[in-house]
């Protein structure tokens, strides 16, 4: 990090602000933590000039799904390391998931997260409160108290809210506070014991699978409950073609549903567990770094997720950044903790869709900025969030869509080195990140 210049000029980049339909070559001027202008060429003095010719300049990314692990699991990640990883990945706002220890099911834990973020955070942290006490799925947490303390949504992520009656009540209460419930859709009776996607790769590896129906049955239930209550439901980490189709049809009927998809479910299949991300022939790997919940699915599922993201059925790319310690992953596949450390590879991973001609760049940037903000109504807390409009918080990401690099997890800012992409060559890299007017990350080439 390089001090706090009060005026920053980002010069000559492709300024992409999809929330306002802006796509032009020009400048972004920041003063005292706010955007002054985005688009037209600027003249005049600046404390810091970032040359952005050939680079994309856009609103800082907003992640609806980040596991920061603090309090209680600081050996996996802390608010300091997780938010530094976010800054390196171009994310300037992260929504912190509540599966900490203790869970964020009381006012004091939500307040703790906000206080630690203010002290040690490199980017903005918006806390998500638990739906049920201890995330145990039996009794509702004090949702009103959590909302008052600053929770922007509710979720028991890591676990579903399996009891339909409880989920109904959660939706009703959450909507009284104007907040969405984000559900980890996994019907326990179908998923139990499954450690990867139920399909031919699981059979080949001799591992128990989770069928796509485990996700789809709960997505269908949640859509019915959203229809019943009129409350907003958010489907976390959509991973199956059937789930995408259910959400698409529900949206057509006007059901208040939003959805997110992760970089890995957009780009990797269950074959990565056995043969690595490129599906290279060779010995079976049983790669625990490819173990994640929901599991990596089939090629048809990946294609449906991409289509859902393209046509707006899915509102946002969310990382589900899930850092784990080495000891959580260097064990038999069945025993490994599920999750991928994602913040620092997310952009490059989703850019593969753009490079392959499957998605255009403005649409991708929309799903990383204005899309998530709209999904959860986050501009209620931070006016102008996810845009570069005048007066918006100066959260800006500058990236090179074409820079090639090799993933080296030992160089991550995150404590979680658990990625199936180690050694993989990716194309597209963050060059600078400004959060609240502070330069929180700059690659060497920026020369500050
Ligand atoms: O793979 C996952 N890891 N999926 C989840 O839903 C939870 C997460 C975690 O917290 O590690």
């Amino acid at each position: 990090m390089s001090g706090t210049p009060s005026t920053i000029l980002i010069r000559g980049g492709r300024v992409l602000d999809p929330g306002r339909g802006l796509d032009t070559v020009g400048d972004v001027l920041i003063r005292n933590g706010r955007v002054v202008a985005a688009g037209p060429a600027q003249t005049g003095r600046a404390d810091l000039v970032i040359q952005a010719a050939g680079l994309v300049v856009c609103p800082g990314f907003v992640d609806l799904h980040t596991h920061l692990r603090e309090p209680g699991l600081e050996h996996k990640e802390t608010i300091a390391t997780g938010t530094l990883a976010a800054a390196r990945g171009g994310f300037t706002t992260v929504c912190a998931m509540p599966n900490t220890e203790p869970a964020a099911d009381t006012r004091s834990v939500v307040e703790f997260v906000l206080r630690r973020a203010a002290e040690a955070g490199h980017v903005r942290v918006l806390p998500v409160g638990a739906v049920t006490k201890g995330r145990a799925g039996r009794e509702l947490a004090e949702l009103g108290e959590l909302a008052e303390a600053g929770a922007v949504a509710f979720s028991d992520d890591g676990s579903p809210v399996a009891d339909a009656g409880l989920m109904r009540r959660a939706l009703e209460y959450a909507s009284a506070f104007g907040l969405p419930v984000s559900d980890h859709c996994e019907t326990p009776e179908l998923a139990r014991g499954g450690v990867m996607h139920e399909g031919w790769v699981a059979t080949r590896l001799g591992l128990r699978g989770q069928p796509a129906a485990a996700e789809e049955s709960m997505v269908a239930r949640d859509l019915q409950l959203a229809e019943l209550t009129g409350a907003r439901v958010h489907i976390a980490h959509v991973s199956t073609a059937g789930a995408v189709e259910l959400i698409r049809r529900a949206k057509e009927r006007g059901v208040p549903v939003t959805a997110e998809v992760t970089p890995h479910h957009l780009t990797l299949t269950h074959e990565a567990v056995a043969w690595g991300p490129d599906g290279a022939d060779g010995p079976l790997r049983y790669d625990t770094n490819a173990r994640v919940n929901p599991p990596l699915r089939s090629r048809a599922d990946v294609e449906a997720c991409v289509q859902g993201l393209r046509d707006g059925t899915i509102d946002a790319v969310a990382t589900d950044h899930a850092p784990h310690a080495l000891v959580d992953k260097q064990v038999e596949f069945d025993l490994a903790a599920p999750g991928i450390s994602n913040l620092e590879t997310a952009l490059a991973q989703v850019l593969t869709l753009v490079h392959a001609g499957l998605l255009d760049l403005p649409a991708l940037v929309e799903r990383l900025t204005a899309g998530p903000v709209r999904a959860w109504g986050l501009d209620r807390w931070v006016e102008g969030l996810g845009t570069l409009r005048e007066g918006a918080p100066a959260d800006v990401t500058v990236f090179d869509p074409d820079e090639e690099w090799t993933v080296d997890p030992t160089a991550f800012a995150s404590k979680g080195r658990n990625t199936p992409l180690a050694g993989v060559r990716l194309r597209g890299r963050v060059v600078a990140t400004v959060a609240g007017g502070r330069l929180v990350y700059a690659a060497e080439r920026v020369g500050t």
Side-chain angles (χ1 to χ4, degrees):
M1 220 172 73
S2 313
T4 312
S6 67
T7 308
I8 302 176
L9 177 59
I10 305 170
R11 180 172 275 158
R14 177 177 173 188
V15 181
L16 261 180
D17 186 5
R20 298 187 303 150
L22 183 72
D23 184 356
T24 184
V25 172
D27 297 350
V28 172
L29 181 65
I30 289 162
R31 188 173 299 127
N32 298 330
R34 304 254 152 220
V35 175
V36 174
Q42 301 293 310
T43 52
R45 200 195 59 81
D47 302 312
L48 171 68
V49 177
I50 298 173
Q51 300 295 351
L55 307 179
V56 174
V57 182
C58 65
F61 305 148
V62 176
D63 190 7
L64 297 179
H65 198 139
T66 313
H67 296 278
L68 292 176
R69 308 296 193 207
E70 193 176 352
L73 300 163
E74 290 85 354
H75 61 293
K76 295 180 192 258
E77 192 77 290
T78 64
I79 287 172
T81 57
T83 55
L84 187 58
R88 290 213 195 170
F91 292 86
T92 52
T93 298
V94 296
C95 296
M97 279 292 158
N99 59 339
T100 48
E101 283 185 13
D105 60 356
T106 59
R107 173 193 298 277
S108 62
V109 179
V110 171
E111 286 176 352
F112 169 85
V113 169
L114 285 169
R115 196 166 56 245
R116 278 305 292 151
E119 288 163 6
H122 296 266
V123 303
R124 181 181 298 105
V125 175
L126 300 176
V128 177
V131 178
T132 64
K133 291 185 179 161
R135 297 175 46 258
R138 282 191 282 277
E139 204 184 332
L140 281 188
E142 295 289 346
L143 302 190
E145 191 182 294
L146 298 176
E148 223 175 76
V152 299
F154 302 107
S155 181
D156 271 359
D157 184 67
S159 311
V161 181
D163 180 318
L166 205 59
M167 183 64 174
R168 175 195 181 164
R169 293 285 169 246
L171 286 168
E172 286 169 344
Y173 276 102
S175 77
F177 306 109
L179 301 182
V181 177
S182 172
D183 201 15
H184 173 122
C185 290
E186 181 185 310
T187 297
E189 297 81 0
L190 290 170
R192 196 167 288 137
V195 294
M196 66 176 295
H197 174 60
E198 183 175 303
W200 68 272
V201 181
T203 305
R204 176 79 194 272
L205 292 175
L207 293 172
R208 189 184 291 265
Q210 293 183 21
E215 175 166 329
E216 291 153 4
S217 51
M218 196 168 285
V219 170
R221 180 206 74 173
D222 282 354
L223 296 172
Q224 285 179 318
L225 293 176
E227 206 157 12
L228 173 69
T229 59
R232 288 152 62 198
V233 73
H234 179 81
I235 309 298
H237 41 51
V238 170
S239 74
T240 77
V244 174
E245 188 51 27
L246 285 165
I247 296 163
R248 181 178 290 120
R249 280 198 258 126
K251 281 193 166 184
E252 281 164 12
R253 292 202 304 281
V255 177
V257 56
T258 54
E260 65 182 42
V261 62
T262 69
H264 43 280
H265 292 113
L266 289 166
T267 54
L268 298 174
T269 70
H270 54 160
E271 287 154 78
V273 175
W275 294 285
D278 304 325
D281 254 354
L284 296 176
R285 290 199 198 178
Y286 292 86
D287 184 2
T288 57
N289 285 320
R291 178 163 180 199
V292 65
N293 264 345
L296 301 175
R297 305 273 188 192
S298 71
R299 172 64 47 205
D301 292 312
V302 169
E303 284 168 7
C305 287
V306 172
Q307 176 57 28
L309 190 67
R310 185 167 49 217
D311 70 20
T313 299
I314 299 176
D315 302 82
V317 170
T319 68
D320 196 0
H321 175 73
H324 287 293
L326 222 54
V327 293
D328 300 320
K329 288 290 193 180
Q330 286 188 345
V331 291
E332 294 89 326
F333 196 89
D334 279 339
L335 301 177
I340 298 176
S341 181
N342 250 342
L343 284 167
E344 291 164 85
T345 50
L347 172 68
Q349 220 180 340
V350 289
L351 274 170
T352 60
L353 305 176
V354 174
H355 296 314
L358 298 171
L359 192 69
D360 66 34
L361 189 60
L364 176 63
V365 172
E366 202 273 342
R367 306 295 188 267
L368 285 161
T369 57
V373 171
R374 198 183 47 245
W376 283 13
L378 295 176
D379 51 353
R380 170 173 152 198
W381 287 274
V382 188
E383 221 188 307
L385 188 69
T387 75
L388 294 176
R389 73 164 193 249
E390 193 187 330
D395 298 343
V396 186
T397 292
V398 182
F399 69 87
D400 181 341
D402 293 310
E403 183 182 332
E404 291 196 21
W405 59 291
T406 302
V407 178
D408 172 10
T410 64
F412 280 180
S414 170
K415 288 190 184 184
R417 274 89 205 263
N418 47 304
T419 173
L421 301 178
V424 170
R425 219 147 157 79
L426 293 176
R427 183 170 154 212
R429 199 168 201 187
V430 174
V431 171
T433 307
V434 177
R438 287 163 52 229
L439 185 65
V440 289
Y441 172 67
E444 265 172 40
R445 64 196 259 190
V446 173
T448 56

